[in-house]
Amino acid sequence: MSFDKQAQHIALILSDVDGVLTDGGVIFDNEGIETKRFHIRDGLGIKLWQKAGLQFGIVTGRSSNIVQIRAKELNIQVVRQGFEEKLSVVREVIAQSQLSAEQVCYIGDDLPDLPVMQHVGLSATVADAAVDVRKAASFVSECRGGYGAVRDLIECILRAQGRWTEIVQRFSTTSS
Ligand SMILES: [Mg+2]
């Protein structure tokens, strides 16, 4: 099935964090507190996606406070941290959202993401993902993880759904 066809039905995007919403780097301070770097364009993309009445969630194998803070900032309700085996938690999230797997897009970057990518309606990844993940994905962003790949995915889905032009128009000022 083509990307445009798969994208029509997507109502929920679930995203991995490390290597997707970040460049995969994890920084520890002297107290052992973990920090990560997020991209502002991904943030706006997530907000626009939500504003279009669609859902966004996070599923990550690691667990850190910084992810909670970023999720809160972006009003992301679905945040599942500390699940190395992601498929069962994704199944649970899909059931709770009362959606079918065909309505869900998952974006990941490494081997633990493969089972989820094979389960959902649209599988996506970043430009610098693991080779096998790039091979398995229906959508490979031209952007690297942490450099706007999620924004790119959101734009492409909304374009396929015929909603992107209207969103851009909201940002254009009309002079009269
Ligand atoms: Mg990852």
Side-chain angles (χ1 to χ4, degrees):
M1 210 193 285
S2 71
F3 170 82
D4 278 4
K5 264 197 164 155
Q6 287 174 312
Q8 297 301 318
H9 311 289
I10 302 304
L12 166 65
I13 297 175
L14 292 175
S15 179
D16 177 28
V17 175
D18 297 286
V20 175
L21 284 168
T22 77
D23 62 5
V26 175
I27 302 156
F28 293 98
D29 69 12
N30 283 331
E31 273 75 50
I33 308 281
E34 190 171 321
T35 61
K36 302 176 199 289
R37 172 194 156 281
F38 294 95
H39 203 298
I40 295 299
R41 273 206 299 277
D42 284 333
L44 180 60
I46 292 166
K47 283 185 188 168
L48 295 173
W49 176 257
Q50 292 165 330
K51 215 171 171 189
L54 302 157
Q55 300 175 66
F56 192 93
I58 281 170
V59 180
T60 166
R62 294 179 66 87
S63 201
S64 67
N65 196 34
I66 192 83
V67 170
Q68 280 301 345
I69 292 167
R70 183 65 173 150
K72 201 175 168 205
E73 189 177 39
L74 296 173
N75 199 25
I76 297 171
Q77 311 286 340
V78 175
V79 182
R80 300 286 188 276
Q81 295 205 72
F83 290 93
E84 276 174 36
E85 196 279 289
K86 294 180 180 179
L87 183 55
S88 40
V89 71
V90 165
R91 281 185 201 268
E92 199 186 292
V93 167
I94 294 172
Q96 282 166 358
S97 311
Q98 295 183 307
L99 296 170
S100 69
E102 286 67 39
Q103 293 172 282
V104 179
C105 170
Y106 180 82
I107 178 163
D109 71 310
D110 210 347
L111 301 178
D113 300 305
L114 280 175
V116 181
M117 291 171 67
Q118 285 154 5
H119 178 69
V120 296
L122 178 61
S123 57
T125 195
V126 298
D128 57 340
V131 176
D132 299 271
V133 174
R134 286 208 306 269
K135 277 186 193 155
S138 299
F139 176 88
V140 181
S141 174
E142 287 175 11
C143 304
R144 289 182 291 142
Y147 288 87
V150 167
R151 167 60 168 274
D152 182 31
L153 171 67
I154 287 171
E155 280 194 30
C156 289
I157 295 177
L158 289 173
R159 258 193 215 106
Q161 294 183 351
R163 306 167 89 162
W164 184 248
T165 309
E166 186 202 316
I167 290 168
V168 175
Q169 277 166 359
R170 274 195 253 134
F171 285 88
S172 334
T173 48
T174 47
S175 52
S176 57

